Amino acid sequence: MRELSTVDRKILAKLQGDFPICERPYAEAAGQLGISEEELLQRIGQLLADKVLTRFGPMFQIEEMGGAFVLAALAAPEARYDEVTALVNELPAVAHNYRREHALNMWFVLATETKDGIAEAIARIERDTGLAVYAFPKEREFFVEMKLEARL
């Protein structure tokens, strides 16, 4: 991983939780950082390209917008693991697909625009892979805020 500049560290520190909500949020954030909007966008793009960041975007409570999230898992045979991973990840509703040391060795999150979308996504994965998908819907929600320190 490349060494982060002071400006990149300030960007990482500033944009964890305090992203402006306004007509031109990048311009507002850039002004707070003392750089131009163009420089901020370029630096965020470079942080993503360099895999310093894997994702930059808002977190929505999708249920409030009519959508749904569910944690799901399946037991992928070792001989087919890569094939099943590709089939699962092909679906736009799939996020955070992780391998686990367990009989259910593939865990992923499904996020859909409608509540019915979850059942449709599960049905498609089961059809495409021939494997049963186990859904673990949220029973209770906890909010845990985590911010990573980017030392200046």
Side-chain angles (χ1 to χ4, degrees), residues 59-128:
M59 298 283 290
F60 296 103
Q61 191 169 16
I62 198 166
E63 294 90 348
E64 295 293 321
M65 299 166 56
F69 273 122
V70 71
L71 178 63
L74 58 77
E78 281 303 316
R80 294 186 55 214
Y81 195 89
D82 291 342
E83 170 204 351
V84 172
T85 299
L87 291 168
V88 169
N89 289 348
E90 189 174 278
L91 197 65
V94 173
H96 310 293
N97 188 345
Y98 297 102
R99 185 181 188 119
R100 294 286 184 243
E101 299 296 324
H102 185 270
L104 297 173
N105 58 353
M106 184 180 295
W107 289 77
F108 48 93
V109 172
L110 293 171
T112 60
E113 294 180 10
T114 66
K115 291 180 178 150
D116 293 341
I118 295 295
E120 294 166 11
I122 289 171
R124 177 174 165 184
I125 292 169
E126 288 181 333
R127 183 186 67 238
D128 291 353

Side-chain angles (χ1 to χ4, degrees), residues 1 11-12 43-56:
M1 179 184 301
I11 290 170
L12 295 173
R43 286 181 177 271
I44 290 171
Q46 193 61 53
L47 291 166
L48 289 164
D50 293 345
K51 307 287 186 206
V52 173
L53 296 175
T54 57
R55 179 184 179 279
F56 181 80

Side-chain angles (χ1 to χ4, degrees), residues 4-26:
L4 296 177
S5 70
T6 300
V7 174
D8 288 338
R9 292 173 190 273
K10 286 181 179 177
I11 290 170
L12 295 173
K14 174 68 181 157
L15 298 184
Q16 294 185 61
D18 290 327
F19 198 74
I21 299 174
C22 61
E23 188 172 331
R24 294 190 57 205
Y26 290 98

